[in-house]
Amino acid sequence: MEEKVVEMFNRVKGQKPPTNMIVGGLALLVALWAASTCFYKVGTEETGVVLRLGKFSKMTEPGLQFKLPFGIDQVYLVKTGRVLREEFGFRTQEPGVRTTYSPRRMEEESLTLTGDLNVTDVEWMVQYQINDPYRYLFKVNNPETTIRDISEAVVRRVVGNSNVSDVLTVRRAALALQIQSEVQEILNSYEMGVRIVTVRFQDVNPPGPVRDAFNEVNEAEQQKESMILQARAQYNQEVPKARGVARSRILEAEGYAVERVNRAQGEATRFVALLNEYRTAPEVTRQRLYLETMESILPKLEEIYVIDGNGATSPLPLLPLSQARQGGAR
């Protein structure tokens, strides 16, 4: 049995395969290779840039895409949906909830001279996003290095035109916004296809030998700002209160003035009316005024005396009105 198998193997080994079988096998291999190179996948945070025979053809969205095989179409995947960043003066080792940073000092990046000839240790980051993949790939050679060089140059110029107290304390956020605007303007002039998301100072400190003194200055500035805020709060509380009291007093005075004027005008009108009546009937008017006056005065008297023409006086024998009033009141 073994001899027959060996004999059959030798016969097959000695025979050459037909030509059409070889051509078919090669065609199958070429077809399989072409099929494997016709499709590519674009990630959810990526954009595909397709070059056809070395010239820009189109951009493709995330998902499974088709391209011409045999190197006719070349695809570059660019992470347009992710915010990228460049770090200066420090390096992140493991990002996360508790981010860890490299302990290695990078003073060649972080040490910066300010406008008043002081040295500061500035650590910052530039976050950016690719908004035009074609320009990012083909307008500038090595775009990441270009972004780093431009950012470092702008930061050193802006910090170099500022005082050390501005960099360390109150104007840090304003300087970051200025740096972001100038870096974006330069990148636009280069047609980089990059949008700066933010420029943020990670840490700004004076050099080691003078760090304690600068920290004391920083604490004093913070206390100053705190006291200013407290004074403004007190001002906002007291000034409206005083204005309200003043307004109330003014309204009371105006009301009293209106009351007095109206009363005076009423008295004047009443006097003119009495005068007209007196001119019309003097005796009647005189008698009425006398009676009205007595009517208002007599209830206020405790005792009433009647004096006759001879000067003799005697108390009224009748109508003890005052006692009756007091009894009724009790």
Side-chain angles (χ1 to χ4, degrees):
M1 183 67 180
E2 293 180 355
E3 294 178 354
K4 291 182 178 180
V5 171
V6 172
E7 183 179 357
M8 292 177 62
F9 178 77
N10 291 331
R11 289 179 181 178
V12 172
K13 183 178 180 182
Q15 296 177 357
K16 293 183 178 180
T19 304
N20 57 354
M21 185 179 297
I22 297 176
V23 174
L26 292 176
L28 179 61
L29 291 176
V30 171
L32 292 175
W33 178 72
S36 65
T37 59
C38 283
F39 297 94
Y40 64 97
K41 182 180 179 181
V42 181
T44 56
E45 296 182 346
E46 298 176 334
T47 299
V49 180
V50 180
L51 300 184
R52 181 162 296 170
L53 298 177
K55 292 184 179 182
F56 174 74
S57 175
K58 61 181 178 179
M59 294 185 186
T60 55
E61 299 296 328
L64 188 64
Q65 304 291 342
F66 174 81
K67 67 181 181 68
L68 298 179
F70 307 115
I72 298 175
D73 285 350
Q74 294 179 334
V75 179
Y76 296 88
L77 300 179
V78 183
K79 297 184 180 300
T80 55
R82 181 179 299 180
V83 176
L84 308 174
R85 71 178 185 178
E86 297 293 332
E87 300 173 340
F88 300 85
F90 71 100
R91 294 294 184 273
T92 301
Q93 286 185 335
E94 294 183 5
V97 178
R98 293 185 178 180
T99 304
T100 58
Y101 300 96
S102 172
R104 185 170 64 90
R105 300 291 298 170
M106 301 178 183
E107 296 181 348
E108 69 279 1
E109 294 180 355
S110 60
L111 291 181
T112 307
L113 186 67
T114 62
D116 51 0
L117 301 182
N118 286 291
V119 177
T120 56
D121 191 358
V122 182
E123 298 177 358
W124 78 95
M125 70 172 64
V126 177
Q127 294 180 321
Y128 64 95
Q129 193 172 14
I130 303 170
N131 57 4
D132 192 329
Y134 173 76
R135 290 184 175 181
Y136 181 80
L137 289 174
F138 303 113
K139 286 293 184 179
V140 176
N141 187 24
N142 201 347
E144 293 181 359
T145 303
T146 303
I147 293 173
R148 291 189 63 86
D149 293 342
I150 293 173
S151 302
E152 187 170 357
V154 172
V155 167
R156 293 190 182 279
R157 180 170 58 79
V158 171
V159 173
N161 292 332
S162 305
N163 294 328
V164 64
S165 59
D166 295 337
V167 179
L168 293 175
T169 56
V170 295
R171 294 199 65 240
R172 188 184 303 182
L175 293 177
L177 290 176
Q178 180 182 351
I179 292 169
Q180 177 180 343
S181 176
E182 294 188 9
V183 171
Q184 184 67 69
E185 184 178 355
I186 296 174
L187 294 180
N188 291 342
S189 66
Y190 287 176
E191 297 183 355
M192 287 270 301
V194 171
R195 179 180 67 87
I196 300 298
V197 177
T198 183
V199 174
R200 183 165 63 89
F201 288 112
Q202 180 76 3
D203 195 10
V204 181
N205 292 308
V210 295
R211 183 166 299 174
D212 294 338
F214 274 93
N215 289 337
E216 293 179 359
V217 173
N218 192 12
E219 292 178 359
E221 291 287 343
Q222 292 178 357
Q223 292 178 359
K224 171 187 172 183
E225 293 296 326
S226 177
M227 295 182 68
I228 290 175
L229 292 177
Q230 292 178 2
R232 287 177 178 173
Q234 187 70 18
Y235 172 85
N236 293 332
Q237 180 180 358
E238 295 296 334
V239 170
K241 181 179 178 181
R243 288 175 178 170
V245 173
R247 182 61 180 170
S248 176
R249 298 290 176 80
I250 291 173
L251 292 177
E252 289 179 2
E254 291 176 350
Y256 179 74
V258 171
E259 180 185 0
R260 296 289 295 182
V261 170
N262 292 338
R263 184 183 300 176
Q265 290 177 350
E267 293 291 337
T269 303
R270 178 175 174 275
F271 178 78
V272 172
L274 288 175
L275 178 61
N276 293 331
E277 292 180 3
Y278 181 79
R279 289 174 179 174
T280 304
E283 289 297 329
V284 176
T285 303
R286 185 185 298 110
Q287 186 68 21
R288 184 168 65 82
L289 291 175
Y290 174 77
L291 294 175
E292 289 177 355
T293 303
M294 290 297 104
E295 185 180 359
S296 63
I297 293 176
L298 290 177
K300 301 177 183 178
L301 299 178
E302 295 181 359
E303 295 183 357
I304 301 174
Y305 296 90
V306 177
I307 303 174
D308 58 10
N310 297 325
T313 62
S314 62
L316 285 175
L318 299 175
L319 299 177
L321 299 177
S322 61
Q323 296 180 3
R325 270 199 316 273
Q326 292 176 0
R330 286 197 296 270

